[in-house]
Amino acid sequence: MTTVETATGATKTMVLNMGPQHPSTHGVLRILLELDGETVVKAVPDLGYLHTGIEKSCEDKTYSQAITLTDRMDYLNPLGNNLVYCMAVEKLLGLEVPKRAQYIRVMMVELQRISSHLVWLGTHAIDLGAMSVFLYCFREREEILKIFELFAGQRMMTSYIRIGGVALQPPAGWRQMVERFLKMMPSRVDDYENLLTENRIWIGRTKGVGYISPEDAIALSMTGPTLRAAGVVYDNRKVFPYSSYEEFNFNVPTRTESDCYARYLVRVAEMRESLKIVRQAMAKITDDGPIKTEAPGIIPPQREKMKTEMEALIYHFKIFTEGFSPPPGEAFVAIESPRGELGCFIASDGSPKPLRVHFRSPSYINLQALPKLIEGQLIADVIACIGTIDIVLGEVDR
Amino acid sequence: MRWIGINSRRYGFEIVTESASQNASVVAETLRSWNPQAVAEVIEYHGETTIVVPRELLRAAAERCRSHAKLQFNLLTDATCVDRFPVEPRFELNYHLVSIPRRDRVRLRVRLSGHDPVVDSLFPVWPGANWLEREVFDLFGIRFHGHPDLRRILLPEDWEGHPLRRDYPVEGFRDVPNTGEMFRKSSVL
């Protein structure tokens, strides 16, 4: 059992156990709160209720088998997890991904960012008492999941991004579907803003709540919208561009207030920027072209080749039995997930299974700033602060 | 830079490594000019710079990296460990640093033996190291000297062993029924 040391030593404080089943902890987060009246004196997060040992499991899988595990970490951003893992393996192998596959990846990851922000906005609003926003957000998220289903046959755990490219060719009719979504979405984002941005209750619950200074945010390794709401422009898509992001024209929204309201504005603005990126990516994706790189022995051969060529059949057999062995070495790749810098570190010892796979999960690292956000605040603000960090417990505990 | 290794013959295509970053040597040079012993080894691989630092100098070198005007690595983005059991020194502790003003990345590495896996905590340099090091302590059993709150974080506090070590079986240790013995399932594919 975790115990809280009394900070004041006085007898009037009480310890309140919040979670792990509390609905507004967005999963199974437990926080021990020491309260003086309604003021939080000390907060100690307690994690690990969803620890599934994904990093250990990856060590017992071949490189391509481990992709399906990465989906399950951050279940609101499975494509981002696929992308960072695949990019790390590609870096180890020195593989070049065809431009067309890179644009498809960018489009999918940006759609995923919108859907993740929609879930965040909906759940954050419902925590603070705005029920209708939740219903609207999930309505639009459904449209994105339908696009994923069209592309990958799966709504959430798509495993669509694979080593060397993506799994399938874009299906017939995808342009119309994405186009319809892009037409509809800007006015829907306006609707959320109409409901919340100037809403007195929303402002009262979020403005000035959960302040953290930019220096503290950097010192505590925070990344993502929480850091950008503090005025620090750090976005991996701009600073260390990957997957051809340097060819896209978009802004990185920042604020300087660094409270829950500023983080809300940053995320809503990010949704609009993501729509811009999706539109540009759609224009860049040609109607036909390769979706995977050519690398015999690593990328599974096409079905037709497998039926006609002996080598292709042998490679197919070897990939799915033994796997492939990247040269010994380490690779660290970081992307911008909806929650911040999502990193993947892979160490290879030259065998078909990774020696070590580590994920730098933004939720986990951002969460350690939670005590800083809520100490000295009212207990009702704890919920606003948990929501504003945008944690996914599957990723926190891994 | 195109580098054709043994693997290219095996796979039948060239392995292309990215060219080493221009700033790669800046970190090593700056650390060397401060203390010649601070840089034990510089590894350039896939465009990533790894600086191997002796264990005793880790905290001082990290402080240099953070505060030196030419380096400014103000964000500690990740800390993780690799277990190379049964090779000694088996642990490789990696700290990934980012300089937001200079747009640069570097990796600090410390090698630790399995007999005495203790190292200075970087919490005084970057407070963000707190949970990162707790995770490494939890899963690898590396102890951080000077850490303010070194407790398990992901596993229960009464858990035995450190699961991410290579000598810890993936399935965990299980009891064989009616014998009281432990068995380990083969990890061969």
Side-chain angles (χ1 to χ4, degrees):
Chain A
M1 284 289 285
T2 315
T3 50
V4 173
E5 295 157 28
T6 329
T8 54
T11 46
K12 60 178 179 174
T13 59
M14 71 171 264
V15 175
L16 183 75
N17 179 44
M18 181 176 174
Q21 291 94 353
H22 195 287
S24 66
T25 55
H26 296 245
V28 281
L29 171 67
R30 174 171 174 236
I31 311 169
L32 289 141
L33 297 166
E34 190 190 343
L35 302 171
D36 180 4
E38 274 199 66
T39 312
V40 179
V41 181
K42 193 175 177 193
V44 180
D46 186 19
L47 329 168
Y49 290 90
L50 217 57
H51 180 61
T52 40
I54 282 177
E55 289 175 2
K56 183 76 177 176
S57 308
C58 285
E59 290 175 10
D60 200 40
K61 304 241 176 291
T62 62
Y63 282 90
S64 30
Q65 281 172 340
I67 296 175
T68 47
L69 289 175
T70 62
D71 283 302
R72 275 115 187 122
M73 282 189 322
D74 181 351
Y75 41 78
L76 297 182
N77 181 31
L79 283 158
N81 297 339
N82 291 167
L83 178 62
V84 73
Y85 175 77
C86 291
M87 275 170 50
V89 178
E90 285 155 10
K91 194 171 188 181
L92 274 177
L93 291 163
L95 287 184
E96 286 271 349
V97 180
K99 277 282 176 195
R100 184 162 180 264
Q102 293 189 14
Y103 299 143
I104 297 174
R105 285 175 169 191
V106 167
M107 185 181 79
M108 298 301 272
V109 170
E110 289 303 321
L111 285 170
Q112 186 84 75
R113 185 184 316 276
I114 300 171
S115 85
S116 170
H117 280 349
L118 283 172
V119 174
W120 167 78
L121 182 61
T123 51
H124 188 40
I126 207 171
D127 287 346
L128 300 181
M131 178 89 183
S132 43
V133 181
F134 173 79
L135 299 172
Y136 292 140
C137 285
F138 271 66
R139 183 183 62 187
E140 272 73 80
R141 177 176 178 254
E142 201 57 35
E143 298 301 316
I144 299 178
L145 295 184
K146 277 182 193 158
I147 296 174
F148 291 161
E149 194 176 10
L150 188 74
F151 269 84
Q154 278 273 357
R155 282 154 47 83
M156 284 179 72
M157 305 303 163
T158 52
S159 298
Y160 182 64
I161 294 173
R162 301 282 170 85
I163 296 158
V166 294
L168 297 162
Q169 284 283 359
W174 71 273
R175 270 181 208 278
Q176 289 83 342
M177 198 154 177
V178 179
E179 190 61 53
R180 199 161 60 234
F181 173 76
L182 288 177
K183 266 211 185 84
M184 168 208 58
M185 197 59 197
S187 66
R188 298 286 164 88
V189 182
D190 291 341
D191 287 351
Y192 315 141
E193 288 223 73
N194 282 340
L195 282 167
L196 294 175
T197 305
E198 286 169 25
N199 183 329
R200 265 184 67 189
I201 304 169
W202 182 256
I203 291 175
R205 288 298 305 272
T206 57
K207 216 165 198 169
V209 172
Y211 174 79
I212 185 162
S213 71
E215 295 79 27
D216 281 346
I218 293 176
L220 285 167
S221 304
M222 286 181 107
T223 46
T226 17
L227 184 64
R228 291 194 284 275
V232 182
V233 190
Y234 179 63
D235 187 322
N236 270 305
R237 293 174 294 172
K238 286 277 188 201
V239 182
F240 304 107
Y242 54 90
S243 195
S244 295
Y245 263 108
E246 67 276 5
E247 296 171 19
F248 290 86
N249 181 22
F250 63 100
N251 302 319
V252 178
T254 49
R255 304 287 296 185
T256 48
E257 297 89 343
S258 193
D259 55 4
C260 293
Y261 189 65
R263 286 169 212 137
Y264 154 74
L265 292 176
V266 164
R267 289 203 176 94
V268 171
E270 272 189 9
M271 278 199 245
R272 295 185 195 276
E273 294 300 322
S274 291
L275 287 171
K276 270 164 63 180
I277 301 173
V278 173
R279 189 170 288 283
Q280 291 168 39
M282 216 169 92
K284 282 178 192 281
I285 299 169
T286 49
D287 275 328
D288 41 27
I291 50 160
K292 277 177 193 166
T293 184
E294 284 283 325
I298 292 177
I299 312 298
Q302 287 173 354
R303 205 78 193 160
E304 303 84 65
K305 273 194 178 172
M306 226 182 80
K307 299 283 183 195
T308 51
E309 289 173 23
M310 177 122 179
E311 290 82 5
L313 186 65
I314 293 169
Y315 279 134
H316 180 271
F317 181 73
K318 286 199 82 172
I319 292 167
F320 289 102
T321 50
E322 185 196 325
F324 53 82
S325 317
E330 293 94 14
F332 181 80
V333 174
I335 67 163
E336 193 68 23
S337 97
R339 275 155 275 285
E341 179 172 303
L342 173 63
C344 182
F345 172 84
I346 299 183
S348 160
D349 56 356
S351 72
K353 292 174 179 178
L355 177 69
R356 169 93 169 104
V357 180
H358 171 74
F359 289 96
R360 186 247 186 240
S361 51
S363 307
Y364 174 76
I365 294 164
N366 288 352
L367 188 62
Q368 71 174 330
L370 183 71
K372 193 103 193 163
L373 293 181
I374 59 179
E375 277 169 10
Q377 303 262 355
L378 295 177
I379 188 165
D381 296 335
V382 173
I383 289 164
C385 290
I386 296 171
T388 197
I389 302 177
D390 189 14
I391 48 168
V392 169
L393 263 295
E395 191 190 39
V396 170
D397 293 342
R398 280 159 290 146
Chain B
M1 185 179 84
R2 284 179 101 75
W3 171 75
I4 307 169
I6 305 159
N7 284 282
S8 63
R9 253 167 276 141
R10 182 164 167 197
Y11 296 127
F13 67 96
E14 275 181 286
I15 290 175
V16 182
T17 54
E18 294 168 33
S19 61
S21 73
Q22 299 295 315
N23 296 331
S25 59
V26 177
V27 188
E29 286 308 311
T30 317
L31 286 178
R32 274 206 192 100
S33 68
W34 158 66
N35 185 342
Q37 266 101 56
V39 181
E41 197 182 336
V42 181
I43 303 165
E44 284 283 340
Y45 194 65
H46 293 309
E48 294 177 15
T49 312
T50 308
I51 311 261
V52 184
V53 181
R55 180 169 78 160
E56 299 72 34
L57 290 170
L58 173 69
R59 192 186 284 171
E63 180 58 50
R64 272 288 123 162
C65 286
R66 189 184 66 85
S67 56
H68 197 283
K70 265 160 90 182
L71 301 179
Q72 298 182 51
F73 287 102
N74 50 356
L75 182 75
L76 170 70
T77 179
D78 196 12
T80 185
C81 188
V82 180
D83 183 5
R84 296 199 182 265
F85 180 79
V87 179
E88 272 295 330
R90 61 186 280 194
F91 295 115
E92 275 176 6
L93 189 59
N94 295 307
Y95 288 92
H96 294 98
L97 316 182
V98 172
S99 165
I100 297 176
R102 285 182 49 242
R103 301 191 168 196
D104 197 11
R105 284 177 186 276
V106 77
R107 180 188 297 140
L108 289 187
R109 174 175 295 170
V110 186
R111 297 209 173 97
L112 299 172
S113 84
H115 310 295
D116 181 29
V118 187
V119 71
D120 279 341
S121 166
L122 292 192
F123 177 81
V125 187
W126 293 282
N130 186 347
W131 283 19
L132 291 168
E133 289 180 343
R134 271 179 75 184
E135 188 188 324
V136 174
F137 164 74
D138 190 357
L139 302 174
F140 285 94
I142 289 171
R143 297 188 301 284
F144 292 92
H145 193 257
H147 191 285
D149 186 24
L150 202 60
R151 290 182 289 127
R152 283 190 183 271
I153 186 161
L154 293 175
L155 298 173
E157 285 185 4
D158 56 354
W159 191 272
E160 281 176 28
H162 302 284
L164 248 60
R165 290 188 174 193
R166 293 293 285 187
D167 48 358
Y168 193 101
V170 174
E171 300 87 2
F173 293 102
R174 299 179 192 169
D175 296 327
V176 182
N178 307 324
T179 60
E181 283 173 16
M182 307 284 255
F183 83 106
R184 185 182 161 177
K185 232 167 91 177
S186 165
S187 61
V188 178
L189 189 84

